[in-house]
C-alpha cells in the first residue's frame, strides 16, 4: 500500500475554486490505506474547507473496510465544508463501485481535471 499527498496553495480571494489536496493510494484500498488517508484528510480540514482529490487509479483490490473508510473520508471532508472526489478509475474500484451501488453516494471521475471541473464545488 502506498499513500501519497500533495496540496495546492490557497487560491487568491477572486478565484472561486476551493483549496485542494491531492492524495493517492496504490495497492489494496483497505483499512490500513484508509487509516493513512484519514490522518491526511483530518490534517487538511483543520484549515477549513478543502477539496480532497483521491487518485484511485493504482488500486488493485478493494475491501469492505476500504469502502467504509472512503465513505467516512467523504463525511470528514464534507463536515468541514469541503468534499472528497475519487478519480482515476481502476478495475478494482469500478467493480466495487458497481457491485455495491456506490453511485448512489459517490462518483468516480475519469481524471483529476474532471473531478475539478465538476459544478457544485464546496
Amino acid at each position: 500500500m502506498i499513500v501519497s499527498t500533495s496540496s495546492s496553495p490557497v487560491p487568491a480571494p477572486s478565484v472561486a475554486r476551493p483549496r485542494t489536496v491531492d492524495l493517492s493510494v496504490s495497492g489494496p484500498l483497505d483499512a490500513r490505506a484508509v487509516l493513512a488517508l484519514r490522518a491526511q484528510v483530518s490534517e487538511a480540514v483543520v484549515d477549513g474547507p478543502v477539496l480532497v482529490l483521491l487518485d484511485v487509479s493504482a488500486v488493485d483490490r478493494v475491501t469492505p473496510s476500504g469502502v467504509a473508510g472512503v465513505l467516512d473520508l467523504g463525511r470528514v471532508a464534507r463536515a468541514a465544508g469541503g468534499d472528497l472526489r475519487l478519480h482515476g478509475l481502476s478495475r478494482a474500484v469500478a467493480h466495487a463501485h458497481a457491485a455495491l451501488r456506490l453511485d448512489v453516494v459517490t462518483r468516480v471521475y475519469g481524471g483529476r481535471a474532471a473531478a475539478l471541473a465538476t459544478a457544485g464545488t464546496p
Side-chain angles (χ1 to χ4, degrees):
M1 176 229 20
I2 299 172
V3 176
S4 63
T5 184
S6 66
S7 64
S8 64
V10 176
S14 62
V15 177
R17 195 171 275 169
R19 182 171 57 95
T20 62
V21 171
D22 288 281
L23 302 175
S24 64
V25 61
S26 63
L29 180 55
D30 57 9
R32 183 175 172 199
V34 169
L35 284 175
L37 291 167
R38 184 168 173 58
Q40 294 172 339
V41 171
S42 295
E43 182 179 321
V45 300
V46 167
D47 295 328
V50 62
L51 175 57
V52 179
L53 301 171
L54 179 57
D55 183 351
V56 294
S57 60
V59 169
D60 60 11
R61 183 169 51 95
V62 179
T63 67
S65 58
V67 171
V70 166
L71 295 175
D72 187 55
L73 294 176
R75 183 196 57 78
V76 169
R78 286 187 295 279
D83 198 9
L84 171 73
R85 299 196 185 146
L86 308 180
H87 67 87
L89 197 57
S90 73
R91 185 178 298 234
V93 171
H95 176 74
H97 201 258
L100 299 173
R101 296 285 322 218
L102 295 175
D103 58 318
V104 174
V105 293
T106 188
R107 179 175 171 192
V108 181
Y109 298 88
R112 184 180 188 279
L116 278 172
T118 303
T121 57

